[in-house]
Amino acid sequence: NSGVAAFAGVGSGPVRIVQSNEDMAEFPEGAVLVTRYTAPWLARIVPKARAIISERGSVAGHLATIAREFRVPALIGVEKGIDVLTEGMEITLDAHHRVIYEGRVEELIHYELMQPTIFDDAPEFRLLRRILDHVAPLHLTDPQSVSFAPKGCRSVHDIVRFIHEKAVQELMELPTSLNRFKGAKLWTLLSDIPLPLKIVDLGGGLDPLATGSMVRTDQVRSLPLKALFSGLSRPGAWNTEPVVVDFKGMMSSLTRTWDPNRGPALFGCNLAVINDTYMNLHLRLGYHLNLIDARMGDADNQNHIYFRFMGGVAELTRRSRRAHLLAEILAHYHFKVRVQGDLVVGRILHVPKAEIQSRLEVLGLLVGFTRQLDIQLRSDREIGKYVDAFLQMYDNTSGPAASMQA
């Protein structure tokens, strides 16, 4: 007996372990979804699943909500589920009693099928179904469309989608709007890493005894920023050796056009807006931008990481290779990833504080490791080589991480 039932019921089928986008694409109809986290991006395969088993997550999360909507039995918090339940193994989940049986238990399945559906004919249920028609449909799918505006919202889902997209745009443009923080002190971080960084502390992000305009890394109290710098401080993360740029890459960088709204005035601007559990970090390293927005607190359902990477000095083909390299590494560490050209967006939601810490350490190492790789990726074959090199580097340095000390 383990876990908490997000939706009580009985479901049976072969185990299918999903840990990446590729696993989702191959999910068969009638399988039992076994996953490490109840990530919201798994929701689109819920209708195919006979049951859901997750090692971690919340019964109040998005995936659990979708499971209830589609009446898919779901058990959340099953320790070592992925270790015990092997790919293709036939199992039966009895979420009523929080028991997983090996094999297909026909008696349980038959008993479940014979249970009356007490809600379908209830007037309250019919009313809820009508309300759902005004809540669930999504019409605002393209942020570039002229219809992506408040007047285009026709459902609650549209409103949430619109607000989310505009919030992300605000995060992207944060360095251009420092006037919003009038009266806030701007700190300069001192560290051994060649990364000039300005900090705005919204409260609790820095040692209250810090004075002057400079702050040392050991005076940082923000949990996400400390975790990220732990990754940046790992051996090999910050290779400063010069990289040879060929003629094609050099011409690409010389002819690159930039968004006039961001402008050359902000080129090289690195800014962190922090408090004790939150970080919004903009890193402009050479010709590319890293945005990391993260919360790392005790409430799992409020924790998140949003990572955005784009740009580079080489021509588009090589920048795209680096994007795919980043995507492979991020997917390995259970990020939901989207790639478009040289743009990479990765997300993690609703995981424990310790998991947010380890993923931010990955991002710290990744930012340093990949910042000049667009120049070096001269063929698609080299992507796998550098992915393996990163995973080996992270594994070899995943002991006690370097502390944030100048």
Side-chain angles (χ1 to χ4, degrees), residues 202-223:
L202 301 179
L206 298 175
D207 186 339
L209 300 179
T211 59
S213 61
M214 305 288 185
V215 61
R216 303 187 310 273
T217 51
D218 64 312
Q219 295 175 299
V220 172
R221 298 291 181 265
S222 174
L223 296 178

Side-chain angles (χ1 to χ4, degrees), residues 61-87:
H62 182 66
L63 185 68
T65 301
I66 299 300
R68 288 189 287 271
E69 180 180 338
F70 285 92
R71 301 186 179 187
V72 177
L75 197 60
I76 310 299
V78 180
E79 292 293 331
K80 299 182 179 179
I82 290 180
D83 297 331
V84 176
L85 303 173
T86 58
E87 187 78 17

Side-chain angles (χ1 to χ4, degrees), residues 92-243:
T92 299
L93 169 65
D94 178 0
H96 292 287
H97 301 95
R98 299 178 293 119
V99 177
I100 302 170
Y101 297 94
E102 184 174 0
R104 184 176 173 85
V105 184
E106 296 291 350
E107 294 82 359
L108 273 176
I109 298 169
H110 180 72
Y111 173 80
E112 186 70 14
L113 290 174
M114 295 299 293
Q115 298 306 302
T117 56
I118 60 175
F119 296 112
D120 285 356
D121 295 328
E124 296 86 357
F125 185 80
R126 293 198 299 270
L127 175 61
L128 287 173
R129 296 300 298 183
R130 290 199 299 272
I131 293 173
L132 191 63
D133 291 338
H134 301 282
V135 173
L138 179 63
H139 308 97
L140 298 187
T141 57
D142 182 8
Q144 307 304 319
S145 171
V146 293
S147 64
F148 199 91
K151 64 181 181 181
C153 295
R154 294 155 51 193
S155 69
V156 175
H157 198 169
D158 287 334
I159 295 171
V160 172
R161 175 74 175 90
F162 179 80
I163 292 172
H164 173 266
E165 187 66 28
K166 294 305 177 183
V168 170
Q169 289 181 16
E170 287 292 310
L171 293 177
M172 287 295 298
E173 296 167 4
L174 195 57
T176 68
S177 54
L178 280 177
N179 59 331
R180 298 181 185 181
F181 300 102
K182 288 179 180 178
K185 186 171 183 177
L186 196 63
W187 299 83
T188 299
L189 182 66
L190 299 174
S191 75
D192 291 333
I193 298 171
L195 180 65
L197 181 65
K198 301 292 185 180
I199 296 177
V200 175
D201 182 15
L202 301 179
L206 298 175
D207 186 339
L209 300 179
T211 59
S213 61
M214 305 288 185
V215 61
R216 303 187 310 273
T217 51
D218 64 312
Q219 295 175 299
V220 172
R221 298 291 181 265
S222 174
L223 296 178
L225 186 57
K226 288 174 67 175
L228 188 83
F229 259 78
S230 178
L232 280 168
S233 303
R234 291 181 186 274
W238 209 258
N239 181 9
T240 57
E241 296 178 2
V243 176

Side-chain angles (χ1 to χ4, degrees), residues 228 292 305 307 330 335 359-368:
L228 188 83
I292 303 173
I305 300 175
F307 173 70
L330 291 171
F335 282 80
R359 299 306 179 264
L360 285 172
E361 290 174 2
V362 167
L363 288 182
L365 181 58
L366 194 59
V367 165

Side-chain angles (χ1 to χ4, degrees), residues 4-76:
V4 179
F7 182 75
V10 175
S12 181
V15 167
R16 189 69 180 197
I17 298 173
V18 175
Q19 302 191 74
S20 69
N21 291 354
E22 290 74 16
D23 296 334
M24 284 185 63
E26 299 173 358
F27 191 87
E29 191 84 30
V32 175
L33 168 61
V34 178
T35 183
R36 200 172 298 279
Y37 309 103
T38 54
W41 51 270
L42 291 167
R44 66 183 176 88
I45 60 174
V46 169
K48 294 182 178 181
R50 291 283 172 80
I52 299 170
I53 298 170
S54 175
E55 290 188 348
R56 298 174 185 173
S58 168
V59 295
H62 182 66
L63 185 68
T65 301
I66 299 300
R68 288 189 287 271
E69 180 180 338
F70 285 92
R71 301 186 179 187
V72 177
L75 197 60
I76 310 299

